[in-house]
Amino acid sequence: MSKKASIVGAGLVGSLWAIYMAKKGYKVDVFERRPDMRRADISAGKSINLALSDRGLKALEGAGIGADIRNMAIPMKGRIMHDNKGNLTFQPYGKEGQAILSISRGGLNAKLMDLAESHEGVNFHFNAQCLKVDIAKAEAKFRMDGKESLVKSDLLFGTDGAFSAVRKSMMKTERFNYSQEFIEHGYKELSIPANEDGSHKLDKNALHIWPRGQFMLIALPNLDGSFTCTLFLPYEDERYGFNQLSNDDAVMGFFEEMFPDVIPLMPNLLDDFNENPTSSLVIIRCFPWTRGGKVALMGDSSHAIVPFYGQGMNAGFEDCTILNQFMEKYGEDWGSIFEAYEEERKPNADAIADLAMQNFVEMRDLTADPDFLLRKKIERKFSEDYPSLWMPLYEQVTFSHIPYAEANDRGKMQRAVMDEIMKLDQIESRWDSEEVMAELRRRAESLPRL
Amino acid sequence: MSKKASIVGAGLVGSLWAIYMAKKGYKVDVFERRPDMRRADISAGKSINLALSDRGLKALEGAGIGADIRNMAIPMKGRIMHDNKGNLTFQPYGKEGQAILSISRGGLNAKLMDLAESHEGVNFHFNAQCLKVDIAKAEAKFRMDGKESLVKSDLLFGTDGAFSAVRKSMMKTERFNYSQEFIEHGYKELSIPANEDGSHKLDKNALHIWPRGQFMLIALPNLDGSFTCTLFLPYEDERYGFNQLSNDDAVMGFFEEMFPDVIPLMPNLLDDFNENPTSSLVIIRCFPWTRGGKVALMGDSSHAIVPFYGQGMNAGFEDCTILNQFMEKYGEDWGSIFEAYEEERKPNADAIADLAMQNFVEMRDLTADPDFLLRKKIERKFSEDYPSLWMPLYEQVTFSHIPYAEANDRGKMQRAVMDEIMKLDQIESRWDSEEVMAELRRRAESLPRL
């Protein structure tokens, strides 16, 4: 008889992991607190679209469903920065042919559930609220259809997000380290609808950013011609904070001052602003992620991060890749699998949490800084000439499978090298000269190899 | 009619704060989960004795009860270090006449409750478990005598320790930052009984330390002639961890190797070791500490630290001093009082949390290091000659009311100065020479004044 695995949370990571476990021969049940999103119109309370990149794609391919997902997405080849006067600057994310994929969270989630259900025989239970978990026994109590029921399994996975019920039960076990840290910014979703002919009002193959120092607006394209926009702004600030935007005049005045080119693109600005909630952003860290070879946390339940590197989903999907690798190594020795998994993933989760906060500063501030843009140009040219010596940090994170912690470490060394290069005489005019490239090469050769 | 203040937790901070609030004219009720410790023999699950120092004393004096407490304590003038061969080294904590006070936790707690009850009319409710708190309304639900009851108050204070129920309810409010971090060491209490004539088996006016690098044993004197000892040891280690001490032979072998001079002093070593639990050590940080001018956390519920600076209780008592100062400044404007309190205290709580971890390294490791001992001697001599220029970090923390964060910052600058001094030629022999003192003076004069 096949062993039984229960997964708490039918979000992106839970639905994908269900496919992995089913393919390995486990009998898989997924329990989800909400109704079936494929039947009800619910947004899961989170952002409408996401950036899928190489780590996420690899995990989808590992489950044999990469092709099913790719054609649901719009490639974004780089950032387009919008300044106060409406001037645009394009900055590619990677090399020719590289792109991150804008994809609908709901569409992707529904597709993963469909594939799990119809191809792999996974059983989904909706409106099933996890009340508590006996961590030592991997027994979970759910409220389903108004009554409580106890579910016993050989293995239990908590993929129930940043405010995980499984983790809450784990917190009551001995010496469990935990932190939740809310950043000072909140976010609000807005939208740019499609043109009447269904086309996009802005270049659809880019992620648009309106960087304004302490805050920013971004826009990601949807397949239907619209863009989903997100305003990231401090909750409280003396000049520019959500606290200052308490009436329509204040909102319009703020947009006229800061995002004048956006106003004609957003006919529903005030309605969106008033109707959509202001949501918070939290960083969750904890350890251990597993207990007794029976229970494991995956995705946001173990490592929720801020969205500024577009890596939240990708990191969660990479958990599946890594956990699957250890299943292949250790068979059914779940004690060893879980130990190896949490040892491998924890430093990488911490690194992407830090990188995501750093990238917030880059997106909202540095993308408008000439010095920063010059650095990026120099790095790009050099890495094209010497790909074995230099991969810009963004590419390491987004277009490679280098562990996040290693990328973070190498990124710091590269920044120190670039600090020196930027001090060279007349770097603004000589940046692509042979001497500058030779100097950069000399320094790059002393770094650990990729 | 006087306003009503409820205090959750009748521990040290709760009992002291009850006195402060009663003196200000509030009707004070204290709710405690445990039975009345004055009637039952319970240890509150925590260490048996504590080091009371200047910050704690100031808070007791602020409540008019300093003298009541002082004569319950034994002054400890410094550390006595015991090496592997039984050699002793004495190191004073401060200047002549300065000492920290070894005091019984239970005795102090009982005394504070007595004073609150009999002199100030505070009402204590025992066996009252806080189930949850409606933070916005300052309404708390308790289970008392088998039934639930709702308590409404104008103000509610959570002094219910590191695993606070009040904080647990606060965690459900918006954007509450929180972390709990368990260190790798656990602790176990042991004891050195009095001699038959009631005298102490070791010098009673000192804190005894057996520093052994990654771990240590300490002993604090009790009034009855005994010492309470605490072994701090990693939970898991390849050589020296609680995991290695699973039978009597292993325990005896460990003590024979590491603490041979202690064995004849501990006739009940094996019984104590087997009967007393191995307890964990946690660092709790959170913010905010207050909500809506109605609810506030104090003491360990807002900032639990490790015990290695002897400042846990002192920091909690200092919360009372500071909160009382803001009551005197803002009257009954509790919104302003609480805002000023958390702004003032949070950085200081973070600083003492860091300092306490650093002092663990100092106690278990550096106290056996000749270089470290020389530094201390140089600092001591210089600070005696130039008290306005230099107060050693330990004295700033223990014998002053300098905010912890300021002490921490100045401590770092002083360490940098001492790093330079220790590089001087032949410092071992010349350490008290005029030239060395002149050089130190030159450097000390560039630091911010005390």
Side-chain angles (χ1 to χ4, degrees):
Chain A
M1 210 179 82
S2 58
K3 287 200 174 177
K4 209 181 144 188
S6 294
I7 296 176
V8 181
L12 296 166
V13 174
S15 301
L16 176 59
W17 186 241
I19 297 175
Y20 271 93
M21 288 300 287
K23 280 185 185 289
K24 279 275 189 294
Y26 287 80
K27 181 180 175 321
V28 181
D29 287 274
V30 182
F31 299 86
E32 167 61 43
R33 187 166 58 85
R34 296 189 179 82
D36 188 346
M37 65 184 308
R38 293 167 298 180
R39 270 153 226 169
D41 180 27
I42 51 165
S43 69
K46 291 174 184 168
S47 69
I48 291 171
N49 50 21
L50 295 165
L52 176 63
S53 55
D54 286 28
R55 291 172 203 264
L57 282 165
K58 179 175 176 178
L60 293 167
E61 279 154 13
I65 57 173
D68 296 285
I69 306 301
R70 270 180 195 276
N71 50 30
M72 297 169 59
I74 299 178
M76 301 184 288
K77 296 172 184 170
R79 298 164 170 157
I80 291 179
M81 276 83 76
H82 297 238
D83 77 11
N84 250 348
K85 303 195 176 77
N87 299 314
L88 307 188
T89 317
F90 176 75
Q91 193 188 18
Y93 276 133
K95 302 192 196 335
E96 190 59 39
Q98 287 182 320
I100 61 177
L101 303 176
S102 178
I103 192 162
S104 149
R105 173 193 288 270
L108 174 57
N109 206 336
K111 184 77 183 176
L112 291 172
M113 290 196 270
D114 284 346
L115 292 169
E117 216 167 38
S118 60
H119 293 191
E120 311 296 343
V122 169
N123 244 307
F124 283 84
H125 309 265
F126 296 97
N127 302 301
Q129 186 189 4
C130 179
L131 301 174
K132 71 191 230 185
V133 178
D134 182 329
I135 298 292
K137 296 184 184 163
E139 286 182 9
K141 194 187 280 179
F142 295 94
R143 182 177 292 129
M144 287 191 273
D145 305 323
K147 54 177 196 275
E148 295 188 4
S149 53
L150 191 69
V151 173
K152 301 183 184 197
S153 332
D154 298 295
L155 295 163
L156 185 137
F157 298 91
T159 56
D160 48 345
F163 299 99
S164 167
V166 178
R167 190 189 63 228
K168 194 176 273 183
S169 287
M170 226 185 217
M171 270 188 76
K172 291 174 187 159
T173 63
E174 228 178 80
R175 298 176 71 228
F176 187 79
N177 290 329
Y178 173 73
S179 85
Q180 60 183 47
E181 179 195 347
F182 289 85
I183 71 168
E184 61 171 317
H185 291 69
Y187 71 92
K188 194 183 276 286
E189 290 206 346
L190 303 168
S191 62
I192 296 175
N195 289 317
E196 290 202 356
D197 65 358
S199 62
H200 288 82
K201 285 195 204 291
L202 296 169
D203 183 337
K204 71 170 183 176
N205 290 121
L207 189 155
H208 295 262
I209 310 183
W210 290 258
R212 296 295 181 267
Q214 291 305 302
F215 56 94
M216 68 178 181
L217 179 73
I218 67 169
L220 275 76
N222 297 312
L223 284 172
D224 67 1
S226 67
F227 282 85
T228 303
C229 306
T230 313
L231 173 65
F232 296 95
L233 191 69
Y235 273 88
E236 304 281 332
D237 191 80
E238 285 176 22
R239 284 194 66 191
Y240 302 115
F242 281 112
N243 61 327
Q244 306 294 340
L245 305 180
S246 51
N247 61 59
D248 290 355
D249 284 351
V251 173
M252 288 311 299
F254 173 67
F255 272 76
E256 275 155 18
E257 180 184 355
M258 288 296 161
F259 312 115
D261 62 334
V262 171
I263 294 176
L265 307 176
M266 285 187 178
N268 306 318
L269 171 54
L270 287 175
D271 285 351
D272 284 353
F273 199 95
N274 293 325
E275 281 163 27
N276 293 342
T278 303
S279 304
S280 60
L281 294 163
V282 68
I283 301 164
I284 304 272
R285 298 175 196 256
C286 65
F287 201 79
W289 292 359
T290 75
R291 286 288 191 193
K294 285 183 158 282
V295 178
L297 303 176
M298 300 174 73
D300 283 1
S301 69
S302 40
H303 51 84
I305 63 178
V306 291
F308 306 111
Y309 227 119
Q311 288 294 313
M313 167 180 64
N314 289 289
F317 281 2
E318 198 174 52
D319 289 348
C320 300
T321 301
I322 300 296
L323 196 44
N324 186 56
Q325 280 172 8
F326 288 121
M327 285 171 74
E328 284 171 8
K329 181 165 179 189
Y330 293 112
E332 298 208 60
D333 174 2
W334 283 95
S336 299
I337 293 168
F338 281 170
E339 199 174 316
Y341 158 71
E342 65 184 8
E343 286 297 317
E344 161 82 22
R345 287 305 281 166
K346 172 64 175 164
N348 292 317
D350 284 339
I352 191 62
D354 293 342
L355 285 164
M357 270 311 288
Q358 287 165 28
N359 214 47
F360 186 23
V361 178
E362 178 169 326
M363 287 177 83
R364 75 190 196 212
D365 201 354
L366 300 180
T367 51
D369 173 356
D371 181 82
F372 172 80
L373 296 174
L374 178 57
R375 276 177 187 247
K376 291 278 164 180
K377 275 205 301 195
I378 298 172
E379 278 195 72
R380 181 159 317 285
K381 175 170 167 56
F382 184 71
S383 76
E384 277 165 13
D385 294 352
Y386 300 97
S388 66
L389 285 180
W390 197 279
M391 187 188 294
L393 176 58
Y394 190 90
E395 292 183 28
Q396 293 181 60
V397 170
T398 308
F399 302 121
S400 93
H401 305 288
I402 297 168
Y404 289 126
E406 209 180 306
N408 192 21
D409 289 345
R410 185 179 290 107
K412 283 177 194 161
M413 291 185 264
Q414 290 178 339
R415 195 188 314 146
V417 167
M418 287 303 299
D419 286 346
E420 294 306 312
I421 296 296
M422 294 300 287
K423 287 179 195 160
L424 296 175
D425 265 358
Q426 300 171 295
I427 185 70
E428 293 81 2
S429 54
R430 291 170 58 232
W431 69 271
D432 59 351
S433 67
E434 269 180 43
E435 307 87 70
V436 168
M437 289 295 134
E439 176 63 19
L440 184 44
R441 181 176 171 179
R442 195 181 64 73
R443 292 179 181 271
E445 276 170 348
S446 70
L447 300 182
R449 284 304 155 100
L450 279 161
Chain B
M1 209 181 79
S2 60
K3 287 200 172 176
K4 207 181 146 189
S6 292
I7 296 176
V8 182
L12 296 166
V13 174
S15 301
L16 177 58
W17 186 240
I19 297 174
Y20 271 92
M21 288 300 288
K23 280 184 184 289
K24 279 276 192 294
Y26 287 81
K27 179 179 175 325
V28 181
D29 288 274
V30 181
F31 300 86
E32 167 60 43
R33 187 165 60 82
R34 297 190 179 83
D36 187 346
M37 64 184 311
R38 295 167 296 180
R39 270 152 226 170
D41 179 28
I42 52 166
S43 70
K46 290 174 184 166
S47 67
I48 292 170
N49 50 21
L50 295 165
L52 176 65
S53 55
D54 285 28
R55 292 171 202 263
L57 281 166
K58 179 174 176 178
L60 294 167
E61 279 154 12
I65 57 174
D68 296 285
I69 306 301
R70 270 180 196 275
N71 50 28
M72 298 170 58
I74 299 179
M76 300 183 289
K77 297 172 184 169
R79 299 164 169 159
I80 292 179
M81 276 83 77
H82 297 238
D83 78 10
N84 250 347
K85 302 193 179 78
N87 300 315
L88 307 189
T89 316
F90 176 75
Q91 193 188 18
Y93 277 133
K95 303 193 195 335
E96 190 60 38
Q98 288 182 320
I100 61 177
L101 304 177
S102 178
I103 192 163
S104 151
R105 174 194 287 273
L108 174 57
N109 206 336
K111 184 77 183 175
L112 290 172
M113 290 195 269
D114 284 345
L115 291 169
E117 218 168 36
S118 60
H119 293 191
E120 311 296 342
V122 170
N123 243 308
F124 283 83
H125 310 265
F126 296 97
N127 303 300
Q129 185 188 5
C130 179
L131 300 174
K132 71 190 231 189
V133 178
D134 181 329
I135 298 293
K137 296 185 187 164
E139 286 182 9
K141 193 187 281 178
F142 295 93
R143 182 178 293 128
M144 287 191 271
D145 305 323
K147 54 178 196 273
E148 295 189 3
S149 52
L150 191 67
V151 173
K152 303 183 183 196
S153 332
D154 298 294
L155 295 162
L156 185 137
F157 298 91
T159 54
D160 48 346
F163 300 100
S164 166
V166 178
R167 189 189 64 228
K168 194 176 273 181
S169 288
M170 225 185 219
M171 271 189 76
K172 291 174 186 156
T173 62
E174 226 178 82
R175 299 177 68 231
F176 187 79
N177 290 330
Y178 173 73
S179 85
Q180 60 183 47
E181 180 195 347
F182 290 85
I183 71 167
E184 61 171 317
H185 291 69
Y187 71 92
K188 193 183 278 284
E189 290 206 345
L190 303 169
S191 62
I192 296 175
N195 289 316
E196 291 202 359
D197 64 358
S199 61
H200 288 82
K201 284 194 202 295
L202 296 169
D203 184 337
K204 72 169 183 177
N205 290 120
L207 189 155
H208 295 262
I209 311 184
W210 291 257
R212 296 296 182 266
Q214 290 306 302
F215 56 93
M216 68 179 182
L217 178 72
I218 67 171
L220 275 76
N222 297 312
L223 284 173
D224 67 0
S226 66
F227 282 85
T228 303
C229 305
T230 313
L231 173 65
F232 295 96
L233 190 68
Y235 273 88
E236 304 280 331
D237 190 82
E238 284 175 22
R239 285 192 67 191
Y240 302 115
F242 281 112
N243 61 327
Q244 306 293 340
L245 305 181
S246 50
N247 61 61
D248 289 355
D249 285 351
V251 173
M252 287 311 299
F254 173 67
F255 272 75
E256 274 155 18
E257 181 184 355
M258 289 296 161
F259 312 114
D261 61 335
V262 171
I263 295 176
L265 308 176
M266 285 187 177
N268 306 318
L269 171 54
L270 287 175
D271 285 349
D272 283 352
F273 200 95
N274 293 325
E275 281 162 26
N276 293 342
T278 303
S279 304
S280 60
L281 294 162
V282 69
I283 301 163
I284 304 272
R285 298 175 196 255
C286 65
F287 201 79
W289 291 0
T290 75
R291 287 288 191 192
K294 284 183 157 284
V295 178
L297 303 175
M298 301 174 72
D300 283 1
S301 69
S302 40
H303 52 84
I305 64 178
V306 292
F308 307 110
Y309 228 120
Q311 287 293 315
M313 168 181 62
N314 288 290
F317 281 2
E318 198 175 52
D319 290 349
C320 300
T321 301
I322 300 295
L323 197 44
N324 186 57
Q325 280 172 6
F326 288 121
M327 284 171 75
E328 283 170 9
K329 180 165 180 187
Y330 294 112
E332 297 210 61
D333 174 4
W334 283 95
S336 299
I337 293 168
F338 280 171
E339 200 174 315
Y341 159 71
E342 66 183 9
E343 286 297 319
E344 161 82 23
R345 287 306 280 164
K346 171 64 175 164
N348 292 318
D350 284 339
I352 191 60
D354 293 342
L355 285 164
M357 269 311 288
Q358 287 165 29
N359 214 47
F360 186 23
V361 178
E362 178 169 327
M363 286 178 84
R364 74 190 197 212
D365 202 354
L366 300 181
T367 49
D369 174 357
D371 180 83
F372 172 80
L373 296 175
L374 178 57
R375 277 177 186 246
K376 292 276 163 179
K377 275 204 301 194
I378 299 173
E379 279 195 71
R380 180 158 318 284
K381 176 171 168 53
F382 184 71
S383 77
E384 277 165 12
D385 294 352
Y386 299 98
S388 66
L389 285 180
W390 196 279
M391 188 188 293
L393 177 59
Y394 189 90
E395 290 182 30
Q396 293 180 58
V397 170
T398 307
F399 302 121
S400 94
H401 304 289
I402 297 168
Y404 289 127
E406 209 180 306
N408 193 20
D409 290 346
R410 186 178 292 106
K412 284 177 193 160
M413 291 185 264
Q414 289 178 339
R415 194 188 315 143
V417 167
M418 287 304 299
D419 286 346
E420 296 305 313
I421 296 296
M422 293 300 287
K423 288 180 195 158
L424 296 175
D425 265 358
Q426 301 171 292
I427 185 69
E428 293 81 2
S429 55
R430 291 172 57 233
W431 69 269
D432 58 351
S433 67
E434 270 181 41
E435 308 87 69
V436 168
M437 289 295 135
E439 175 64 18
L440 184 44
R441 182 178 169 176
R442 197 182 62 74
R443 291 176 182 273
E445 277 171 346
S446 69
L447 300 182
R449 285 304 155 101
L450 279 162

